Amino acid sequence: MTGLFDLSGKIAIVTGGAGLIGRTLCEALAAHGATVIVVDTERERGETVATETAGTLEFHGVDVTSSAAVEGLVTDVLDTHGRIDVLVN
């Protein structure tokens, strides 16, 4: 990756990732090399973002108004990827 930002190897979580702004942010982070965790309650739209965007993305259906659900998300991401580098809320 060349350019201003190189996020290769970074893990990014984007809440609201299925919406217009969220999708755009997911696409930008993935384009710069980040592994993007797309978080939203809109399963179909979130899965579409994760599958149609070039790069490494995965969808997690999480309601961020539930602290227990957010804790579960963080645990899942840390168990799978070992860290979280970028949060977009």
Side-chain angles (χ1 to χ4, degrees), residues 1 6-7 14 26-27 31 40 48 59 69 74-75 79 86 89:
M1 169 106 262
D6 182 6
L7 298 174
V14 179
C26 289
E27 291 169 349
D40 209 294
T48 298
F59 174 73
V74 170
T75 298
D79 287 349
V86 178
N89 306 94

Side-chain angles (χ1 to χ4, degrees), residues 7-32:
L7 298 174
S8 299
K10 302 296 183 186
I11 308 301
I13 295 176
V14 179
T15 61
L20 181 61
I21 294 171
R23 181 181 184 133
T24 302
L25 290 166
C26 289
E27 291 169 349
L29 289 164
H32 289 282

Side-chain angles (χ1 to χ4, degrees), residues 11-82:
I11 308 301
I13 295 176
V14 179
T15 61
L20 181 61
I21 294 171
R23 181 181 184 133
T24 302
L25 290 166
C26 289
E27 291 169 349
L29 289 164
H32 289 282
T35 295
V36 180
I37 312 302
V38 181
V39 178
D40 209 294
T41 56
E42 296 288 331
R43 178 164 298 280
E44 186 175 331
R45 287 175 39 201
E47 288 174 347
T48 298
V49 171
T51 58
E52 291 183 355
T53 302
T56 305
L57 296 91
E58 58 187 64
F59 174 73
H60 288 256
V62 174
D63 179 356
V64 297
T65 65
S66 165
S67 57
V70 172
E71 289 175 18
L73 168 69
V74 170
T75 298
D76 287 347
V77 172
L78 291 176
D79 287 349
T80 302
H81 300 284

